[in-house]
Amino acid sequence: MRRDLPELAKSLDWIGLNYYTRWMVDAAGRKPHMARPGAAVTDLDWEVYPEGIGLAARRAARTGVPVLVTEHGFADAADRLRPRALVESLATLGREIESGTPVLGYLHWSLMDNFEWAEGWRARFGLYRMDPQRDPEGRERTRSADVYSRIVRANAIAPEVAAEVGAAV
């Protein structure tokens, strides 16, 4: 159900956006399935839908204040789909910024694997793998961490980065 809150327009300096996936629901609001048939899904069976972050940012900006992406990431313990999904999501967000959506910044969830309240250690969102049974030196940098650091350093997605992960940007 779409609901705008015009009373927020003058009460906020910015609005925070947490975006992970889209939910497929029926007319009664029930979740009949989590993803399109054949879509890539995370370890939590959430659809990887990079276009959604741009749509969500545009919708959040209708409040009349800038948007700060406060959480966005993928539960992907093997780091097999996160590099591409991250690049495609950031490319989508970049296009939204170019079209005029006021986005202040982006915070990836998360730097390291962490204990998720609903999922425990099963949901591995971290750019660094972390084994809760090992000491802090047990952190392992993922390919996604390398990809993200290259994007951040350049403040852009270089064509070779997109090509390396098979991203359509």
Side-chain angles (χ1 to χ4, degrees):
M1 170 173 60
R2 182 175 167 170
R3 195 171 108 190
D4 291 328
L5 301 171
E7 62 273 14
L8 293 181
K10 296 194 181 346
S11 67
L12 302 172
D13 295 324
W14 52 271
I15 190 163
L17 172 64
N18 292 4
Y19 178 81
Y20 292 93
T21 190
R22 65 179 174 175
W23 301 101
M24 307 292 276
V25 297
D26 63 16
R30 296 180 302 253
K31 296 177 193 165
H33 46 73
M34 297 292 294
R36 295 168 302 181
V41 295
T42 68
D43 296 346
L44 297 175
D45 292 324
W46 295 354
E47 180 179 354
V48 175
Y49 184 62
E51 299 86 358
I53 193 169
L55 297 170
R58 185 179 328 136
R59 184 170 183 194
R62 288 197 314 234
T63 60
V65 295
V67 177
L68 175 61
V69 179
T70 49
E71 287 187 22
H72 174 255
F74 311 91
D76 183 16
D79 201 45
R80 65 180 174 75
L81 52 82
R82 185 185 299 119
R84 178 179 176 171
L86 179 58
V87 168
E88 290 179 351
S89 295
L90 291 175
T92 297
L93 192 60
R95 286 189 295 275
E96 199 58 43
I97 292 167
E98 288 171 0
S99 74
T101 300
V103 177
L104 295 173
Y106 171 90
L107 302 169
H108 183 77
W109 185 262
S110 129
L111 176 64
M112 295 187 329
D113 287 334
N114 64 295
F115 184 85
E116 294 281 337
W117 291 111
E119 301 294 333
W121 287 101
R122 184 172 87 93
R124 300 299 183 130
F125 285 93
L127 295 173
Y128 284 77
R129 291 184 183 99
M130 215 253 334
D131 183 343
Q133 304 304 316
R134 295 173 62 190
D135 60 44
E137 286 76 39
R139 298 180 198 127
E140 178 186 345
R141 187 177 172 101
T142 65
R143 181 175 174 217
S144 293
D146 293 329
V147 167
Y148 186 52
S149 68
R150 290 168 67 191
I151 293 168
V152 170
R153 278 192 200 103
N155 194 29
I157 301 168
E160 61 271 14
V161 172
E164 286 172 21
V165 300
V169 296

